[in-house]
Amino acid sequence: MKGNKAFKFINLVIIFVCISSFLSMIPTTINLIAGGGGVFTSYMHKEKFVIEDEFYKSRAFDNNLISYLVSVTSGTVGGQDKDLSDKDKNNIEETRKYSRETLKEISNLNYFIINKDTGEIYTNTECKTAEEFQSKYRGECDVKISSNNYNVSYSKIFNNNEYKDSNVTGELGYVMQLRNGDIYMSIPKDFEQAPGIYDRIYEMKNDFNREIVYVKIILATLGTSLLLGIISTFLYKRSKVELFDKDSLWLKLSKFIPLELYIVGIICALVFLMQSVDYYYDMLSSFTFGFLGIGFICTVFYIFNKQINSYDNKLDFFKTTLIYRVFKFSKKIFVKTLKLTKSVPLSKRIIGLAIVCIVVNLFLMMFAISDYNPLFAIIGAVSTIGGFTYYILKKLWYLSYIMDGTQKIKNGDVHHKLKLIGEDNFTTLADNINNIRDGLDKAIDNQLKSERMKSELITNVSHDLKTPLTSIINYVELIKKEEDISPEYLKDYINVLDSKSKRLKILIEDLFEASKASSGNIELNMERIDITQLLRQSIGEMEEKLSEANLDLKVNVPDEKVYIRADGRRLYRVLENLLSNISKYSLSNTRVYIDIIQVNDKVRLTMKNISSYELNFDPQEIMERFKRADESRNTEGSGLGLAIARDLVNLQGGNFDIDIDGDLFKSIVEFQLMN
């Protein structure tokens, strides 16, 4: 078994090596192209595009070396135009000087340069003419570059073969500094680098030969890695042995590696890959960087995959991260500290924070004085004082929030709940207020439930009493129609029975309507109503009772119609109850004032009368059910009239109020004015 595991592990390593070798060709190729692709065939040999092992056919020679040499040689005899400014002439002179100094450092080159515009010649030979130079100097490669009004042509001879291109302006025109002129260059055979001098020709040829060797080695490695990779992959897949199971020691050890270390490894590998595409390095260095970077990435991803798959819950892997471990440890310390500070009162906590701020600021001031760095002390002081101020303001904000919430509960919003923030005295206060709110809410719910049950009980009892009472009233009516009732005093009994049963019927009807009005169980037919007309109609209906009470009505209403939105039948009942109260409880031979006025966008109906009884009660108390001004209850009435009026007005969106001033009793009904 161990042998099978070792064999599979070797195959895995070979696979990683082969993948790294194969994929590292990508950055190596990028590096090769970015560096000018010197090993490829140049533009002078367009019939093929291959990796060229002949230096004088390569891009290293035509694209790189010749471009450089043309730039330098053409600059040695740059034109002296008479129309040029002094500044341009100085620049040309500097270029000529620099070019000639540069050419002196190239020992393996014979050159002859002619500026046809000025006739100037510059050469490192004794030749006087171009023909003499061409006949006398025959080297390994002879080059001629001609410029005709900046149209550049290029020819070269090596290995007894001549290669020409009459238009290489696109390739060499940007480096040519002669408008009209010829450049002759001859590279000697079997040249060597002169001691102590950097010779660009020698170095470029030497680099080319080395890169050709690298290319051949890399291509051979690529082919070998591809073949070995296929074989190793086949053998790896064929082996059924689990290389790293869940109980593997190596896998257990890998769990101690935090995720951040994997990320750092990937970043390092990416740095290697970035270096591999940097054309500053040669092909071998580029290949090496790419190989190491890709190999490291493959290894990291393989270990990462094995490690994350070893968890039943994949999210548990992130618990191995360094951030999670630090967070967990910090949370543990924070919770312990919080538990210790919970028992400390808020005032002591604030004092403790203030002492800490003072100590920190003193330390920062001493440090700043010793280090002559006041900016550090200022920043530290602002940070500590700002943090302390933020803490105080946060607590004050929470206190203000609690006070606002308490005000809302006080104003009737018993369902408002305070948020519990933090763990301090204010939090305890907010929690206590919430508990009080919950208790108050339950008490109100119980009260509403009790009121609803009482209303339902009254409604049901009233309904059940109506049927037998109706029968009693009907039978009394039938008895009254009998003519031969004897003895005679029975007629008086029947009249009393008739009177009391009818009063009981009225009481039950009032009780039934009061119950419905207080519970809101009434259908309303809201419409546009002229309240002045409805008032006159109500007074007309009650005129007889008001006259019997010897009351003088003073009605003050607008001449024009005043419209409100209400239920006509229910509002008539309100006016009937109020006028009925006036007829029952007003002092005889007094005046009753009834006014309708407009106050802004409201319509106010006011009824004022002098009471025949002492008004020694609260205005709100008289509006409660069964409450009567006549405590002896000698007068007719159920004590429900004002309660019914109040509930009916409120249901229609109006406002009903009572005002008492001595013996003056005032009823006020207010509705929204309709245009």
Side-chain angles (χ1 to χ4, degrees), residues 8 18 49 56 77 103 113 140 200 257 299 351 467 478 514 570 655:
K8 189 169 185 177
C18 293
F49 180 77
Y56 297 109
V77 291
L103 276 178
I113 307 140
E140 190 173 73
R200 182 176 289 267
I257 303 174
T299 305
I351 293 171
T467 303
L478 290 174
R570 306 297 179 187
N655 186 43

Side-chain angles (χ1 to χ4, degrees), residues 9 12 17 75 86 131 324 336 452 571 612:
F9 180 75
L12 179 65
V17 170
D86 293 338
E131 290 77 10
Y324 179 82
K336 287 184 178 180
R452 187 167 58 252
L571 186 58
S612 58

Side-chain angles (χ1 to χ4, degrees), residues 511-572:
L511 185 62
F512 185 71
E513 186 156 4
S515 176
K516 290 199 298 181
S518 64
S519 63
N521 189 22
I522 293 179
E523 278 192 31
L524 297 176
N525 181 24
M526 303 295 287
E527 56 186 347
R528 191 165 177 258
I529 293 173
D530 179 9
I531 192 171
T532 58
Q533 181 182 355
L534 187 63
L535 176 63
R536 290 190 182 100
Q537 180 183 345
S538 302
I539 293 172
E541 293 288 339
M542 298 293 296
E543 186 177 5
E544 184 178 349
K545 286 187 177 182
L546 294 170
S547 298
E548 290 175 358
N550 296 321
L551 297 174
D552 184 13
L553 261 66
K554 299 294 181 180
V555 181
N556 178 26
V557 297
D559 295 333
E560 67 275 7
K561 294 181 179 181
V562 179
Y563 290 103
I564 63 171
R565 181 174 175 79
D567 185 321
R569 188 162 67 90
R570 306 297 179 187
L571 186 58
Y572 175 79

Side-chain angles (χ1 to χ4, degrees), residues 360-420:
V360 170
N361 277 289
L362 287 174
F363 173 77
L364 291 173
M365 287 177 64
M366 289 188 294
F367 181 81
I369 292 170
S370 63
D371 199 39
Y372 300 101
N373 190 358
L375 182 61
F376 181 77
I378 293 171
I379 294 172
V382 170
S383 301
T384 53
I385 295 172
F388 179 73
T389 305
Y390 170 76
Y391 181 80
I392 297 296
L393 290 177
K394 184 179 179 183
K395 295 303 175 185
L396 290 176
W397 171 84
Y398 191 40
L399 177 61
S400 176
Y401 167 76
I402 293 172
M403 293 174 67
D404 291 342
T406 308
Q407 187 68 30
K408 288 181 181 179
I409 296 172
K410 173 192 168 186
N411 293 338
D413 187 6
V414 294
H415 297 291
H416 182 74
K417 188 172 183 178
L418 298 174
K419 295 178 181 178
L420 302 181

Side-chain angles (χ1 to χ4, degrees), residues 63-116:
N63 295 59
N64 301 338
L65 181 59
I66 292 299
S67 295
Y68 171 76
L69 292 176
V70 168
S71 174
V72 174
T73 54
S74 62
T76 59
V77 291
Q80 293 288 338
D81 196 328
K82 295 180 181 179
D83 297 331
L84 293 176
S85 64
D86 293 338
K87 183 178 179 181
D88 290 337
K89 289 179 180 179
N90 289 334
N91 290 336
I92 291 175
E93 188 60 34
E94 289 293 329
T95 301
R96 288 160 62 92
K97 185 177 179 181
Y98 169 77
S99 298
R100 294 185 180 191
E101 290 295 328
T102 302
L103 276 178
K104 289 179 182 179
E105 298 177 359
I106 303 176
S107 59
N108 295 307
L109 180 68
N110 297 312
Y111 50 85
F112 187 90
I113 307 140
I114 305 172
N115 186 337
K116 292 183 178 180

Side-chain angles (χ1 to χ4, degrees), residues 352-509:
L353 282 174
I355 293 172
V356 170
C357 286
I358 293 170
V359 172
V360 170
N361 277 289
L362 287 174
F363 173 77
L364 291 173
M365 287 177 64
M366 289 188 294
F367 181 81
I369 292 170
S370 63
D371 199 39
Y372 300 101
N373 190 358
L375 182 61
F376 181 77
I378 293 171
I379 294 172
V382 170
S383 301
T384 53
I385 295 172
F388 179 73
T389 305
Y390 170 76
Y391 181 80
I392 297 296
L393 290 177
K394 184 179 179 183
K395 295 303 175 185
L396 290 176
W397 171 84
Y398 191 40
L399 177 61
S400 176
Y401 167 76
I402 293 172
M403 293 174 67
D404 291 342
T406 308
Q407 187 68 30
K408 288 181 181 179
I409 296 172
K410 173 192 168 186
N411 293 338
D413 187 6
V414 294
H415 297 291
H416 182 74
K417 188 172 183 178
L418 298 174
K419 295 178 181 178
L420 302 181
I421 303 174
E423 291 286 345
D424 52 30
N425 303 82
F426 290 156
T427 309
T428 304
L429 175 62
D431 190 36
N432 292 337
I433 292 173
N434 284 338
N435 292 334
I436 295 172
R437 179 198 65 84
D438 292 339
L440 182 63
D441 197 14
K442 289 180 182 178
I444 292 173
D445 287 342
N446 291 335
Q447 184 179 358
L448 291 174
K449 184 178 180 181
S450 176
E451 289 292 329
R452 187 167 58 252
M453 290 178 66
K454 285 193 288 185
S455 298
E456 290 176 357
L457 177 62
I458 292 171
T459 303
N460 294 334
V461 170
S462 301
H463 185 270
D464 292 341
L465 288 175
K466 270 186 178 181
T467 303
L469 184 61
T470 303
S471 300
I472 292 172
I473 292 172
N474 291 336
Y475 280 113
V476 169
E477 289 293 329
L478 290 174
I479 293 172
K480 285 173 64 178
K481 290 179 181 180
E482 295 291 331
E483 296 180 359
D484 53 346
I485 298 175
S486 60
E488 191 66 26
Y489 62 86
L490 290 178
K491 290 184 179 180
D492 296 332
Y493 294 165
I494 292 170
N495 289 333
V496 172
L497 184 62
D498 181 45
S499 173
K500 297 300 180 182
S501 62
K502 287 181 178 177
R503 184 183 173 190
L504 180 60
K505 180 181 180 182
I506 293 171
L507 177 62
I508 291 173
E509 287 176 349

